Amino acid sequence: MRGRGWNVGLRREDDHLTLEVIAYIHTDFPAKFGIPRQSGLADTKAEIIFEPKYRNPDAVRGLEAFSHLWLIWGFSEAVKDEWSPTVRPPRLGGNTRVGVFASRSPFRPNPVGLSSVSLERMERREGKGIVLHVRGADLMDGTPIYDIKPYLPYVDCHAEASGGFAEQKKGYRLEVEIPGEWEVKIPMEHREILKQVLSQDPRPSYQQDRGRIYGMKYAGMEVRFQVEGNVLRVCEVEYELC
């Protein structure tokens, strides 16, 4: 049974459907390490810039009436030749396997991601068409976007839903300490967001080495930190050279 709708934007090649990239998202995360594990966990800022073919303003007519959006995007940095029926979710320590369809692992038969973000505003920009400013994205800079749909709270929100094994860690937070000498190096507009990101514990769950120094790239900075117990302490902030 075929799904509803037309096959516009899809190309059939040897029984495979190829999606077209409609836009790219631009975020403060140039690398995978440190990106929030799910959308909405941190108040991250991002811009969505449409590809020339999709810059017709009529395509986003009425979108400003919605507060949140669904982004359908591609795991462009997590492509493998083969897929596995089971994966090891980081929040289960990296040792317990679950079915790939019971996880949000990037290593899937089709490397497609789904994120819910808030729409902050829409801007008409010279040479770029309508640019979407969103918050709460969990995507790396330059991630391809395949589709954008409005979030409908009366059908998309299920307060009674069960979160499976992910419920075990939903309240997990680290206390973040940024000494004054490093805090002053962080622009004001990035300080609170960085704290939100670090409080989620960017480390792989299987790495709990006391005293180990980790580094993540964020908003043009290299942020190094250590974790002891439930406290994450920033130990250095450096700006990357262009």
Side-chain angles (χ1 to χ4, degrees):
M1 178 176 169
R2 294 183 182 274
R4 296 180 298 169
W6 305 92
N7 285 330
V8 176
L10 294 175
R11 298 192 303 274
R12 184 176 293 278
E13 300 174 356
D14 299 328
D15 293 327
H16 288 80
L17 292 177
T18 303
L19 294 172
E20 288 190 20
V21 175
I22 66 164
Y24 288 92
I25 194 167
H26 298 280
T27 74
D28 288 318
F29 297 97
K32 291 185 291 183
F33 185 77
I35 297 176
R37 288 182 170 85
Q38 304 293 341
S39 58
L41 290 178
D43 197 27
T44 53
K45 299 179 181 180
E47 293 182 352
I48 296 174
I49 299 180
F50 289 93
E51 288 290 271
K53 180 179 178 180
Y54 299 99
R55 289 177 185 170
N56 187 328
D58 287 340
V60 293
R61 185 191 302 174
L63 193 64
E64 70 279 358
F66 297 91
S67 65
H68 291 72
L69 309 173
W70 286 114
L71 304 181
I72 301 172
W73 48 276
F75 286 103
S76 54
E77 297 297 312
V79 178
K80 284 188 172 183
D81 294 333
E82 299 291 337
W83 73 283
S84 171
T86 61
V87 294
R88 297 182 293 183
R91 282 310 190 198
L92 288 181
N95 296 315
T96 303
R97 286 191 172 272
V98 300
V100 65
F101 300 127
S103 79
R104 294 192 176 185
S105 168
F107 303 108
R108 322 185 65 78
N110 294 304
V112 176
L114 180 69
S115 296
S116 174
V117 299
S118 63
L119 176 61
E120 187 175 38
R121 63 188 175 92
M122 298 167 60
E123 170 200 1
R124 185 183 295 273
R125 185 178 298 173
E126 184 69 28
K128 299 294 183 181
I130 302 297
V131 176
L132 306 183
H133 294 260
V134 300
R135 286 180 176 265
D138 55 339
L139 284 72
M140 190 171 72
D141 185 50
T143 294
I145 305 295
Y146 295 134
D147 203 2
I148 297 171
K149 298 177 184 290
Y151 178 97
L152 303 179
Y154 77 99
V155 290
D156 291 340
C157 180
H158 302 279
E160 76 286 359
S162 171
F165 65 82
E167 291 286 316
Q168 302 173 21
K169 295 289 186 177
K170 70 176 184 179
Y172 178 76
R173 296 286 189 281
L174 293 177
E175 180 183 344
V176 177
E177 294 182 354
I178 305 180
E181 61 182 305
W182 304 121
E183 187 172 48
V184 296
K185 287 193 170 187
I186 305 169
M188 287 291 294
E189 65 269 24
H190 293 302
R191 287 181 191 176
E192 185 56 36
I193 298 173
L194 177 60
K195 288 180 181 179
Q196 292 174 8
V197 171
L198 293 174
S199 73
Q200 300 295 323
D201 195 350
R203 300 173 300 168
S205 294
Y206 56 85
Q207 291 184 2
Q208 302 291 330
D209 301 344
R210 182 177 178 179
R212 176 170 178 169
I213 296 178
Y214 297 84
M216 62 169 280
K217 299 180 185 297
Y218 172 70
M221 298 174 283
E222 175 81 21
V223 181
R224 298 185 179 90
F225 62 88
Q226 292 178 304
V227 179
E228 185 171 349
N230 197 48
V231 178
L232 182 151
R233 184 179 178 85
V234 172
C235 52
E236 191 172 7
V237 175
E238 288 187 354
Y239 277 89
E240 296 183 291
L241 297 177
C242 296

